[in-house]
Amino acid sequence: MPGHQGETRRTRAAQEWESPGYESPLPVTEKSNPLSRDIDRAGPQQIVRVLQECDAEVFQGDLQTDAEYKRLYSESVVQILVNVAKRVKTILKEPENSLIVLSGCGTSGRIAFLLSNTFNRILARHQQKPVYSYTIAGGDKALLTSQEAPEDSPSLGAQVLEETCAGKKHVLFIGISCGLSAPFVAGQLDFCLNNLDIFTPVLIGFNPAHMARAEPIQGWPHTLREVTERMLDLQRGQRAFVLNPVVGPEAISGSSRMKGGTATKVLLESLLLLGHRAVHRHSEINHQAVLDCIRDYETVHEMTYSKTEELADVIGTAGISLQNQGHVYYLGWKTLGIMGIIDASECIPTFGADFEDIRGFMSGGFSEMNNKEGDLSSLGPQFCIDQKDFLSTILPNLGENDTVIFIFTVDEDFADVEKLAGQVKSKTSNLQAICHEHGGCRFPVNINNIFASKILRITWTSSAGDAEDGFFMRLQWELSTKWILNAISTGAHILKGKVYKNYMIDLKVTNSKLYRRAIGMLQRFTGCSWMQGERALLRALYRVEELTEEMITADVSRHTQAANASDKVVPTALVVLQTGCSVSEAQAHLREGSVVRDAVEACLTSGRH
Ligand code: F6P
């Protein structure tokens, strides 16, 4: 009865994190999840179970009718989805001089990009011109690599939006900030609020409004909380919308790429699909249609996690690769290739990983990506994403320590997959396949020989409907793949010892949110004051024993810039705080213990005695 036990554990956990005093005043998206407290000590099977339960919280209903937190299925959330879907319909019916802009930072921006392209493709199938556009903090470079600093700039956000919408008369702007925290998005929403004759702003995030980020933003007169409150006032007259169900704390605290990214995809796709179906099939946009759509995604969760054994196997293999200084490579096709690239790009800020540790490549490279700024490969190896780049730069040195994961569907040319697999096989036996097929169309039987049965294969129920059903199935494959890849990269880094309890102990402090999160972690683990934590962080960041006056008084933006060049900043600060040793001693200590988690834990435990 694991399902039943899981439900009981989830209910207990929710009662814990929903209680008012739990890790107050952290917003839900920054709290630690009681379900994943011991994930750092778990083996692959257990990691999958914990992630499954944390992800199931996305779809959890209200525990009681007067619950403080709205959930995905809550009446008020469904109503807003209905209202926004109707705006989508209006724009699709009168597309001239209209635009739907999706925007965000990091994963939120990458999902904005992905969906904007997908829905433009759906329009193309109906012989309609593109209506969607995306913006992402840091531009297209941020689609492939972590560009955290631009997230802090409201004026940049506003400027990019203004340029994107030049000449348009009606714009539905959907800004995503899972933590209701990104100044870049705040600037864009404020711009919309100042131009309501053209813009209808929508904010998507996963905290209640009173938990939106309230700290002052450098060089800007507003806060995100204030912007959210202005939007809530306008929501009554349907001039702005705030879609902010709570989906529970992340399995790895604050890692909004996981549940935040998932819930973003579910909400956005639901409301966009309903808008499209209303225009192309004349179907109604109502509560039932929204509920049906979300339930379909809940089924995707069940289908994906029914492959626990296979998923645990891949995590184990990928973990061994990272432990042995090997690499994990995702080789994907079409949008599943993009899912791989997105997942890989997130490992750098999340786990302090090197960009070579986990990398994604896709068939067709930039021509398949179809991003605004085109081919970025000349910017350096981090931007080389074509499978051809894999063949020319990675394959020659590929070895048994590396794991190569093929991600494809039954719609791909299987001969292509087979050929590439043959080339990889000559270098490493660690080949894995993640693949999706459907009732009406199955993989050839030789798939088992090619991948030596290391296959995570999901067979979906076919829908014999129209082109849009085909797209819907692909959206489901994408979400399923997202869960699988998030589990692989998170699990592999856990096995490598990059996670302490359920915290990303080795995160990069490259913007103000991450900077504050890091100090919060230091406080939590050592009981130090905010100021002590900040001073220790700065000493580790600048690698000095004494801070100069200039360092102490500099803006956070200067520190976050410097953080790009520093390594193991948070673990170093922790050791310094806990043992009272010098920065160089702490660095030496961390160098000795190759596993960050164990080195930190040894130090925290010894400090307690
Ligand atoms: O600052 C880095 C980051 O945490 C990314 O990892 C994440 O995808 C991005 O911020 C966006 O966060 P949010 O959606 O909460 O604005």
Side-chain angles (χ1 to χ4, degrees):
M1 298 276 272
H4 206 80
Q5 286 167 2
E7 214 173 299
T8 314
R9 268 194 299 269
R10 273 204 325 272
T11 307
R12 268 203 224 111
Q15 279 161 347
E16 194 175 341
W17 62 255
E18 282 189 3
S19 70
Y22 184 77
E23 297 185 355
S24 177
L26 288 180
V28 177
T29 54
E30 290 286 323
K31 290 184 196 293
S32 70
N33 197 318
L35 287 167
S36 59
R37 244 170 224 151
D38 302 319
I39 199 166
D40 60 335
R41 297 280 159 196
Q45 295 261 3
Q46 183 71 355
I47 290 174
V48 177
R49 188 185 65 70
V50 171
L51 295 179
Q52 173 177 13
E53 286 176 4
C54 287
D55 286 330
E57 285 185 322
V58 171
F59 301 99
Q60 199 159 340
D62 300 340
L63 286 184
Q64 63 248 18
T65 39
D66 60 344
E68 192 196 341
Y69 296 135
K70 287 175 292 178
R71 299 305 198 97
L72 208 56
Y73 284 117
S74 297
E75 173 77 18
S76 59
V77 173
V78 173
Q79 184 58 50
I80 297 169
L81 280 165
V82 166
N83 294 344
V84 180
K86 286 181 178 166
R87 294 305 175 99
V88 173
K89 175 183 168 189
T90 308
I91 292 210
L92 295 182
K93 286 187 102 172
E94 289 163 35
E96 217 47 52
N97 292 319
S98 298
L99 204 57
I100 298 175
V101 181
L102 314 179
S103 179
C105 311
T107 300
S108 304
R110 293 174 195 129
I111 290 176
F113 151 76
L114 189 69
L115 297 197
S116 134
N117 275 356
T118 297
F119 282 89
N120 276 337
R121 252 183 272 131
I122 297 184
L123 288 176
R125 281 278 177 98
H126 291 276
Q127 283 79 46
Q128 277 189 260
K129 284 201 221 124
V131 160
Y132 292 89
S133 188
Y134 66 91
T135 67
I136 176 166
D140 277 2
K141 279 203 289 190
L143 295 175
L144 314 174
T145 57
S146 102
Q147 308 281 330
E148 311 294 346
E151 181 175 325
D152 275 340
S153 175
S155 53
L156 179 67
Q159 183 199 325
V160 173
L161 181 62
E162 190 172 6
E163 285 163 12
T164 307
C165 302
K168 297 296 174 191
K169 300 243 163 32
H170 305 284
V171 178
L172 179 65
F173 171 76
I174 306 186
I176 312 149
S177 180
C178 299
L180 297 187
S181 62
F184 180 87
V185 174
Q188 298 187 315
L189 292 168
D190 179 61
F191 179 78
C192 296
L193 292 172
N194 294 334
N195 295 281
L196 283 173
D197 49 329
I198 295 178
F199 290 88
T200 304
V202 182
L203 169 60
I204 293 188
F206 305 103
N207 283 315
H210 71 271
M211 290 183 177
R213 193 169 169 186
E215 89 211 30
I217 297 172
Q218 207 186 327
W220 205 57
H222 313 291
T223 65
L224 192 51
R225 179 151 338 148
E226 200 189 307
V227 172
T228 309
E229 281 161 2
R230 268 156 70 202
M231 290 182 64
L232 283 175
D233 282 344
L234 289 162
Q235 186 159 274
R236 285 183 211 111
Q238 297 206 19
R239 305 199 65 197
F241 300 94
V242 181
L243 252 177
N244 60 333
V246 161
V247 294
E250 296 288 351
I252 304 298
S253 313
S255 183
S256 58
R257 77 189 191 110
M258 302 179 82
K259 289 161 77 171
T262 298
T264 299
K265 205 163 151 30
V266 170
L267 283 178
L268 268 177
E269 289 173 4
S270 300
L271 70 89
L272 297 176
L273 275 168
L274 292 184
H276 279 250
R277 286 176 183 162
V279 176
H280 299 133
R281 293 184 191 169
H282 310 291
S283 47
E284 283 223 31
I285 301 176
N286 55 27
H287 279 228
Q288 195 51 48
V290 170
L291 293 176
D292 289 346
C293 220
I294 300 177
R295 282 212 185 94
D296 280 341
Y297 285 108
E298 195 172 346
T299 309
V300 178
H301 174 268
E302 283 154 24
M303 293 279 287
T304 305
Y305 280 108
S306 68
K307 301 288 169 185
T308 308
E309 299 265 313
E310 294 90 332
L311 184 49
D313 270 359
V314 196
I315 291 175
T317 311
I320 292 171
S321 283
L322 292 191
Q323 281 163 353
N324 293 337
Q325 320 310 323
H327 311 91
V328 176
Y329 298 108
Y330 298 141
L331 301 183
W333 276 259
K334 304 209 181 88
T335 52
L336 299 195
I338 299 180
M339 299 312 289
I341 290 168
I342 292 178
D343 186 84
S345 71
E346 292 155 348
C347 295
I348 303 158
T350 309
F351 303 109
D354 193 90
F355 94 91
E356 313 244 31
D357 291 350
I358 301 194
R359 284 186 70 178
F361 296 90
M362 67 188 285
S363 163
F366 282 99
S367 50
E368 189 67 48
M369 274 284 282
N370 197 22
N371 53 312
K372 279 192 204 168
E373 294 170 35
D375 190 337
L376 303 176
S377 56
S378 62
L379 296 179
Q382 280 167 281
F383 297 91
C384 295
I385 51 153
D386 197 316
Q387 283 180 7
K388 288 188 188 135
D389 298 313
F390 172 83
L391 288 174
S392 61
T393 61
I394 307 288
L395 188 72
N397 302 315
L398 201 69
E400 278 302 327
N401 278 340
D402 303 318
T403 299
V404 184
I405 300 174
F406 286 68
I407 313 162
F408 53 96
T409 75
V410 78
D411 293 347
E412 267 67 73
D413 180 352
F414 193 68
D416 241 26
V417 177
E418 190 176 358
K419 183 171 170 217
L420 190 57
Q423 289 166 293
V424 170
K425 241 176 167 174
S426 66
K427 298 284 192 168
T428 178
S429 55
N430 290 328
L431 251 70
Q432 301 269 349
I434 293 165
C435 47
H436 303 273
E437 62 185 1
H438 51 83
C441 206
R442 302 289 182 97
F443 291 112
V445 278
N446 66 341
I447 188 171
N448 288 318
N449 302 338
I450 297 168
F451 291 99
S453 300
K454 288 182 183 165
I455 304 171
L456 193 167
R457 177 203 313 220
I458 307 184
T459 308
W460 302 85
T461 333
S462 283
S463 50
D466 60 17
E468 231 149 76
D469 286 326
F471 274 104
F472 187 46
M473 180 157 283
R474 182 157 276 274
L475 295 176
Q476 298 188 333
W477 290 343
E478 285 169 15
L479 184 60
S480 172
T481 304
K482 178 183 182 295
W483 271 313
I484 292 168
L485 299 184
N486 284 174
I488 293 171
S489 56
T490 303
H493 280 103
I494 289 172
L495 297 176
K496 191 183 179 187
K498 286 291 207 165
V499 170
Y500 175 65
K501 295 186 191 288
N502 50 4
Y503 292 89
M504 25 180 164
I505 195 73
D506 203 5
L507 84 165
K508 286 227 177 252
V509 287
T510 37
N511 65 32
S512 61
K513 175 181 77 182
L514 301 172
Y515 182 83
R516 293 182 70 80
R517 184 184 292 162
I519 299 172
M521 245 191 302
L522 295 174
Q523 282 190 290
R524 183 184 178 100
F525 294 141
T526 69
C528 69
S529 67
W530 182 269
M531 195 162 96
Q532 287 168 328
E534 185 166 29
R535 296 268 163 108
L537 186 77
L538 291 179
R539 282 175 58 201
L541 200 152
Y542 291 109
R543 299 186 208 101
V544 294
E545 304 305 341
E546 289 289 333
L547 293 170
T548 62
E549 194 51 31
E550 203 201 336
M551 287 170 183
I552 294 171
T553 52
D555 283 338
V556 171
S557 59
R558 155 129 187 250
H559 306 319
T560 53
Q561 248 169 23
N564 271 314
S566 315
D567 220 18
K568 295 204 175 87
V569 171
V570 182
T572 306
L574 251 178
V575 176
V576 165
L577 276 170
Q578 192 67 7
T579 64
C581 71
S582 67
V583 169
S584 49
E585 282 165 348
Q587 285 173 326
H589 173 76
L590 288 167
R591 266 196 304 274
E592 268 165 37
S594 59
V595 177
V596 180
R597 178 198 61 206
D598 293 346
V600 164
E601 179 149 83
C603 152
L604 289 178
T605 321
S606 66
R608 264 180 226 124
H609 297 303

